[in-house]
Structures are given as structure tokens and as C-alpha cells.
Amino acid sequence: MAHKNYLFTSESVTEGHPDKICDQISDAILDAILEREATLQRRGYVSPEGVAANVENVRCACETFTTTGTIAVMGEVRTQAYVDVQQIVRETLRKIGYDRAKFGFDCDTCGVMSLIHEQSPDIAQGVDGTYARADGEDAIERTGAGDQGMMFGYASDETPVLMPMPIYLAHRLSERLAEVRKLGLVDYLRPDGKTQVTVRYEDDRPVEVTAIVVSTQHGEEATIEQIRRDMVDQVIRPVLDAVGIEWSNAEIYVNPTGRFVVGGPMGDTGLTGRKIIVDTYGGMGRHGGGAFSGKDPTKVDRSAAYAARWVAKNVVAAGLARKCEVQLAYAIGITRPLSIMVDTFGTGTVDDSVLDAVVAKVFDLRPGAIIRDLKLLRPIYQKTAAYGHFGREDPDFTWERTDRVDEIRAAVAELVG
């Protein structure tokens, strides 16, 4: 940013938000396919047509839509495995908390439609056959990107997990809101909810929270005074005090309209991939436009965005910049990225062009190599689908590792002397 003193706002949503319901269902189906296909592969399963089960040949682009009383699952899938879409949908809804009609949605009685069909061979031919017909580097070299596009990754030293402060706080508030509900600390809460945080920056550093918004679905019996008191005591104060940022003068808005009884799919439609800024950096870093959830890792919308975060985080963790954005670009069926760009926004200790060369040397950003290095064929995706794909301290989030710091430093030293 050109100016150093500014306000920046980011939002998050809970797992019960209609769009996030859809993201989680799409990723739960992907996880089930990956897990089942891997099991069949271990058992040596071969279809009657002579096609062997192989998790590396799974293709999935799964979209979910929801409205009052209904879930529709659509998309293109290729797998030897059978998964029970109805059961996956209902169990995902139950886990979120939509298990009774008075919450506005009932996992046991809602309608579920499956409109899934096989992936187009025109799309598949750019990626197919590589792992199945070859091993080692040749296979990776012949694994083309599943689509064209550009992907961005971002990291900043504003928080311990190297995420921007506004989205970090918004996610923690949403997580705490869900935790309070699930623990029964506030018994009138319902699954749908949103949070928003405004942070004041001085000299480009976060110094104070100036505004907080918490909107939560609630039971008919709760009063707005009670909700506002409980949200401050049970949600806002524990999160903000733990982070240690100043917030005593913040404007606090809890359920600003005064009522939020009708929520979830009864209150609004939901669709996979409609919260991509919530999924990433809260607007602080750029976004290529492609959603993540429901897509297997041959789709670079997902895997390359994870890789770009991995790269950016390692650059910042290496002490070479206070903040870093990485752009990658791909063409469908082409193995290597068309471009790599590193932008440190003037905070780098070396020129950005040096970091461009360092990233190309240290990181193998071919889609097959990303899948291999980040272990992206595991059934880990459902838990990415709420509270952000980045900045999570979970060992399954391999793109959050800072395991290339020493190599980056050595490569910089070699280039600049």
C-alpha cells in the first residue's frame, strides 16, 4: 500500500454459514473419494473393464448448492470408488449442528440430490495417464495443470502464523463463536454466524482494533441485550485478550439488526466457492478468482494456491521480507508454471528479482511435484473448508510448513554473494 496509516477490514463466517456448508460438503465428498480409492488401490482392485484403482488418477470437481430444506451436489468425478453422497451430506450437516428443524435445517429430513457425472475427456487428457503409466520424475514432468489461471499466495509477519492481522482475528472470533455453541456455554446459539474486524495500521503495522462485528443466529427466546453481553464476554474478550492487541476503544456491533433467528439455508442460499476471500487472506493479498473446495489437487486453483502460500511463508520466515506475495500462472495440460512473481512491497532485504530466481531454484512448482511435496492426495480437505485454508496450526496443512528457510537463505547468499 502506498500509504502507511490506514484502516483495514476482513470478515469470516462460521461453519454453519450457507456457503460454508456447501464448501464442507464438497470437500467431504472429495475426502471420501480419496480415502476409498486409496483403500481399493492397496487391495489391488481392478474394475471389470480392467482399470486398476489408483488414488493418483482421481479427478473431482464437486459443487454443492443449498436452499431451504434442500442440498444439491453437482460436478464431475472420476473414480473406481463408490461413495454414499446422501450419507456424506447428512453426516456433514450433523457435524456442523443442523440436526433439528428448529435450527432451520434438519440433516435427517432435508432433500439431497446428487447430479454428479464423469469428467470430460477433453479436460482429462491434459493430466491423465501420467502417474498410471510412469514412475518418478518422468511422471511428474508429464503431469499437466488441470486448468489455466493465476494463483496467489501471501504471508506477513503481523501474526505468529504469518497471516494478516484482520483475517487472523476474524477467523479466531468465528472459531470461538462455534466453540461456545458446541460446548453449550451459550445455549441459544445456532450454527450460522459471521464476524468482521477492522484494524488500524500505523507505519504499516497493526496497532489497534477499531471495530468488531459479530452476527450470530440465535433462538427465539434470547434478547438482544443478553446476546450482546454474552458475545463480548464469551467470544470477543477471550480472543482479543489472548492475541494481545489493543481493543479497548473498539466499536462493537453484535447482531446490528437486532434479530437473527432465521439463518442457515432457510435464511439464504449457499454455494461452493462463494467465500474465496474468507478462505484466503481477507482481501489483504490478491486472489486469482478460483475457488478451492471440492477440487482434487490436479486443479491448480487449489494446489498451486497452497504452494504459493508455502513459498511466501518461507520467504517471510527466512527473514527476507516482512510481507510477501507470490503469483504463479499455469496453462491447462502444461507442466511448468508460465510465470513466477514475488512482490515484497518494499519490505524485502534483497531485490524482488533475486527472490524470483531463488523461488524457481528452491521450489519445484510443477503440479505433480506440488502434489508430491505437499502430500495432497490425503483425505484432509473437509477441515480446510471452514475458518480459512491458511494460517492454521495443523500438521495436515503441509503448505504451512517453513521447511525451506535454510535453502532459501543459501540460494540468496549464492546469488548476491
Side-chain angles (χ1 to χ4, degrees), residues 137 140-141 303 307 310-311 328 330 335-337 340 358-374 404 407:
E137 286 302 309
I140 290 174
E141 179 57 32
S303 55
W310 182 38
V311 172
L328 307 175
Y330 293 85
T335 301
R336 297 179 183 275
I340 301 171
V358 165
V359 168
K361 179 178 181 179
V362 172
F363 294 89
D364 189 341
L365 295 170
R366 295 173 295 171
I370 293 170
I371 292 169
R372 175 198 66 197
D373 293 343
L374 297 182
R404 298 292 176 92
E407 292 176 65

Side-chain angles (χ1 to χ4, degrees), residues 124-335:
Q125 68 179 348
V127 187
D128 273 0
T130 53
Y131 283 103
R133 293 198 301 265
D135 297 318
E137 286 302 309
D138 287 344
I140 290 174
E141 179 57 32
R142 298 196 335 249
T143 302
D147 202 353
Q148 72 174 46
M150 65 284 189
M151 299 83 207
F152 290 92
Y154 185 85
S156 169
D157 67 357
E158 296 174 16
T159 61
V161 293
L162 304 187
M163 286 289 284
M165 183 65 76
I167 189 65
Y168 177 77
L169 293 176
H171 280 323
R172 302 296 79 77
L173 288 171
S174 288
E175 283 183 313
R176 177 61 182 172
L177 181 56
E179 180 182 45
V180 165
R181 171 177 61 88
K182 291 179 177 181
L183 291 175
L185 300 179
V186 179
D187 60 7
Y188 55 78
L189 292 181
R190 302 293 183 257
D192 197 357
K194 303 178 79 171
T195 65
Q196 184 172 288
V197 178
T198 301
V199 174
R200 181 168 63 86
Y201 284 74
E202 289 185 358
D203 196 25
D204 210 24
R205 307 297 287 174
V207 296
E208 179 186 23
V209 173
T210 63
I212 301 166
V213 182
V214 176
S215 295
T216 180
Q217 186 187 8
H218 59 87
E220 188 85 46
E221 72 280 6
T223 67
I224 187 60
E225 292 77 19
Q226 180 185 13
I227 297 169
R228 287 172 177 164
R229 182 174 62 251
D230 287 341
M231 291 304 96
V232 171
D233 292 342
Q234 297 287 346
V235 177
I236 296 172
R237 179 168 286 112
V239 170
L240 274 294
D241 286 351
V243 172
I245 191 169
E246 174 61 37
W247 65 282
S248 60
N249 295 318
E251 297 179 76
I252 297 175
Y253 301 92
V254 174
N255 285 13
T257 65
R259 179 181 168 88
F260 188 180
V261 172
V262 179
M266 181 175 283
D268 197 3
T269 58
L271 183 65
T272 297
R274 205 157 57 177
K275 285 289 178 286
I276 58 177
I277 298 303
V278 172
D279 286 341
T280 54
Y281 309 100
M284 187 71 81
R286 285 174 284 192
H287 195 287
F292 302 153
S293 290
K295 296 178 181 177
D296 76 80
T298 66
K299 278 72 171 175
V300 284
D301 278 342
R302 179 168 224 157
S303 55
Y306 288 177
R309 162 65 177 173
W310 182 38
V311 172
K313 188 171 182 180
N314 274 271
V315 168
V316 173
L320 295 171
R322 287 197 295 105
K323 53 185 175 180
C324 176
E325 184 178 74
V326 174
Q327 186 202 50
L328 307 175
Y330 293 85
I332 187 168
I334 304 302
T335 301

